[in-house]
């Protein structure tokens, strides 16, 4: 029987357990410049006993930013800052992947170059979604500007450049963020992609740009160092698709062709990605690991609202290879040790999830 504490061969990395630290937006990079710094290095190093760490979503360009304080990977200073993080994690024998992110329409002019409108496949706003302006004022999502066809290639280049920067910064691999209603997901799903050119319409057309991005990243990193995050049936950021089964089976076929390292899929059971205050269980949505795991030939990581008991069960039954934990990794830097020794977990404080200082960030206690 496979245990959550068993090692896992992840390409040519052997990780010590199947307890993955999920990507978590914390909005604590150094300002100005959205630069990772010592505080972030301390936070990640505290959690180095994870099987591996996936960093918080990290913008590949200025245009890719949607929230204040989220880090980037497109300037020299940011690359230097991330080096502090990767060095600190490696010193503790941890492994760390960078999550590459473009928010698309989930932004605000105050984050955009020249105060422009945020960009998207189509000029359709995300209803009931919000963000914060550059000076931390809550704001609703405006109607974005549809990308011109000649701009798409520039964004592919931004991802490629960011992938190179991630290599220079000493990461062990990268995860391409195709989930949760951000730019690549906005292209995949037909609720947000109404384009009439070669990047919209059929599934083959809608997937074209996300695959161009993935292929550019693979060119830099090799397929066995690249993962992809997906969120079929997730409603966060006003997402929907007319045929998710067909769409995501097609996506997984394309990922299989490229033999990427892993797929990281979010269970729609937990629809509070992005910080609504309650766990809203989506009773109408199926389990995505049950629906899609068999389709993918590589490592399958599942995330979304797991407790320890459920996580052990899905790994023991071989439904998935590993589970990514978010909130309980925030409040338990030594989560694998606590699982191993069956110890009580620290509870998390939602009010310190986003922005602020070391409070609720690097001050959660370890087991004594
Ligand atoms: C967020 O910043 O709210 C956020 C970022 C990335 C996600 C989900 C939520 O995948």
């Amino acid at each position: 029987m496979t245990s959550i504490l068993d090692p896992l061969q992840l390409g040519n990395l052997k990780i010590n357990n199947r307890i993955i630290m999920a990507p978590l937006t914390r909005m604590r990079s150094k300002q100005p410049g959205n630069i990772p710094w010592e505080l972030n290095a301390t936070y990640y190093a505290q959690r180095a006993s994870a099987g591996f760490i996936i960093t918080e979503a990290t913008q590949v360009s200025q245009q890719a930013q949607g929230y204040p304080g989220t880090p980037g990977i497109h300037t020299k200073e940011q690359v230097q800052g991330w080096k502090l993080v990767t060095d600190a994690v490696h010193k503790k024998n941890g492994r760390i992947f960078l999550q590459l992110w473009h928010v698309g329409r989930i932004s605000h002019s105050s984050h955009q170059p020249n105060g422009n409108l945020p960009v998207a496949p189509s000029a359709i706003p995300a209803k009931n979604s919000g963000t914060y302006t550059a000076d931390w004022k809550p704001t609703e999502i405006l109607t974005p500007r549809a990308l011109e066809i000649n701009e798409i290639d520039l964004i592919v280049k931004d991802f490629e450049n960011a992938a190179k920067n991630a290599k220079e910064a000493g990461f062990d691999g990268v995860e391409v963020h195709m989930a949760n209603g951000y730019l690549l997901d906005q292209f995949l799903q037909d609720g947000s992609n109404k384009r009439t050119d070669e990047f919209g319409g059929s599934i083959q057309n809608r997937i074209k740009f996300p695959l161009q991005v993935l292929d550019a990243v693979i060119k830099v990193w090799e397929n066995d160092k690249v993962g992809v995050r997906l969120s079929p049936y997730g409603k966060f950021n006003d997402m929907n698709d007319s045929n998710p089964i067909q769409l995501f089976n097609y996506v997984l076929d394309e990922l299989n062709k490229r033999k990427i390292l892993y797929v990281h899929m979010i269970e729609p059971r937990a629809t509070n990605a992005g910080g609504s205050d309650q766990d809203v269980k989506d009773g109408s949505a199926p389990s995505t690991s049950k629906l899609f795991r068999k389709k993918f030939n590589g490592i399958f990581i599942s995330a979304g609202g797991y407790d320890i008991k459920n996580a052990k069960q899905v790994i023991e039954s071989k439904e998935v290879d590993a589970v990514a934990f978010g909130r309980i990794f925030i409040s338990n830097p030594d989560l694998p040790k606590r699982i191993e020794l069956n110890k009580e977990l620290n509870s998390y404080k939602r009010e310190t999830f986003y922005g602020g200082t070391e409070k609720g960030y690097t001050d959660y206690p370890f087991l004594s």
Side-chain angles (χ1 to χ4, degrees):
M1 190 178 74
T2 311
S3 148
I4 198 168
L5 296 164
D6 284 349
L8 176 66
Q9 195 68 39
L10 194 70
N12 61 4
L13 296 176
K14 188 169 183 186
I15 61 172
N16 292 332
N17 60 59
R18 290 140 188 269
I19 303 158
I20 313 306
M21 181 174 169
L24 296 161
T25 291
R26 306 302 308 273
M27 302 184 192
R28 282 167 168 91
S29 63
K30 196 169 70 186
Q31 302 306 317
N34 303 312
I35 302 165
W37 60 303
E38 286 81 359
L39 178 66
N40 310 131
T42 301
Y43 161 76
Y44 282 113
Q46 286 178 340
R47 289 157 182 78
S49 65
F52 73 108
I53 293 168
I54 305 163
T55 68
E56 63 208 277
T58 298
Q59 57 259 8
V60 298
S61 65
Q62 185 56 55
Q63 183 195 66
Q65 182 171 8
Y67 307 85
T70 55
I73 183 82
H74 53 94
T75 71
K76 272 204 180 68
E77 294 74 19
Q78 291 162 350
V79 174
Q80 292 304 319
W82 279 119
K83 269 189 187 142
L84 298 176
V85 173
T86 60
D87 282 348
V89 169
H90 289 149
K91 237 176 236 151
K92 294 252 176 89
N93 295 319
R95 305 287 189 189
I96 183 164
F97 278 46
L98 180 78
Q99 196 192 50
L100 298 168
W101 192 33
H102 191 309
V103 298
R105 67 182 181 175
I106 309 298
S107 185
H108 181 266
S109 323
S110 60
H111 301 296
Q112 294 294 308
N114 308 313
N116 290 335
L117 277 178
V119 298
S122 304
I124 303 169
K127 284 188 254 62
N128 306 316
S129 297
T131 182
Y132 291 84
T133 62
D135 56 0
W136 294 85
K137 302 224 165 58
T139 174
E140 61 182 35
I141 296 297
L142 306 173
T143 303
R145 175 176 73 78
L147 282 163
E148 303 287 339
I149 195 158
N150 62 327
E151 292 177 283
I152 289 184
D153 201 38
L154 301 175
I155 300 180
V156 174
K157 295 249 155 54
D158 287 337
F159 271 93
E160 183 177 342
N161 178 54
K164 286 181 184 156
N165 286 343
K167 207 163 208 186
E168 192 186 330
F171 284 97
D172 297 295
V174 289
E175 176 173 292
V176 178
H177 196 340
M178 289 194 195
N180 285 341
Y182 296 108
L183 184 66
L184 302 180
D185 198 21
Q186 289 160 29
F187 269 83
L188 287 178
Q189 301 201 44
D190 60 13
S192 46
N193 184 348
K194 306 283 186 202
R195 296 181 75 92
T196 52
D197 61 12
E198 63 184 284
F199 295 100
S202 65
I203 290 176
Q204 288 84 339
N205 283 2
R206 282 182 274 135
I207 199 178
K208 199 172 276 179
F209 166 58
L211 287 180
Q212 287 176 355
V213 165
L214 179 62
D215 288 335
V217 171
I218 289 174
K219 212 165 68 190
V220 176
W221 271 95
E222 303 296 331
N223 51 355
D224 68 341
K225 297 282 193 301
V226 177
V228 166
R229 196 171 212 220
L230 298 169
S231 54
Y233 294 95
K235 295 203 171 74
F236 179 58
N237 283 330
D238 195 26
M239 294 307 287
N240 62 82
D241 187 81
S242 58
N243 194 341
I245 298 220
Q246 214 186 350
L247 170 63
F248 287 97
N249 275 322
Y250 193 92
V251 172
L252 292 169
D253 276 336
E254 290 296 322
L255 301 185
N256 282 332
K257 280 187 202 161
R258 288 162 176 79
K259 298 192 162 61
I260 62 161
L261 180 60
Y262 70 80
V263 158
H264 179 189
M265 205 174 268
I266 304 165
E267 284 294 340
R269 289 180 276 134
T271 48
N272 75 325
S276 85
D277 222 42
Q278 299 296 317
D279 268 332
V280 185
K281 290 206 181 183
D282 184 351
S284 68
S287 155
T288 54
S289 59
K290 284 200 167 64
L291 254 190
F292 295 109
R293 196 286 164 258
K294 287 199 172 64
K295 187 78 184 174
F296 182 63
N297 299 334
I299 289 164
F300 193 96
I301 303 172
S302 184
Y306 280 95
D307 60 23
I308 311 286
K309 192 164 160 245
N310 299 336
K312 283 181 169 168
Q313 188 266 318
V314 291
I315 290 172
E316 286 164 10
S317 66
K318 296 197 189 299
E319 189 173 319
V320 308
D321 297 303
V323 170
F325 293 95
R327 287 160 285 167
I328 60 174
F329 236 126
I330 287 179
S331 55
N332 296 276
D334 51 357
L335 183 61
K337 188 103 241 153
R338 287 174 194 254
I339 292 176
E340 184 190 335
L341 301 177
N342 219 353
K343 295 285 187 192
E344 210 179 313
L345 301 184
N346 302 319
S347 49
Y348 47 80
K349 294 168 273 216
R350 283 183 191 274
E351 63 279 12
T352 52
F353 279 178
Y354 303 113
T357 62
E358 73 284 357
K359 278 210 177 68
Y361 191 56
T362 52
D363 63 352
Y364 284 104
F366 287 75
L367 287 172
S368 46

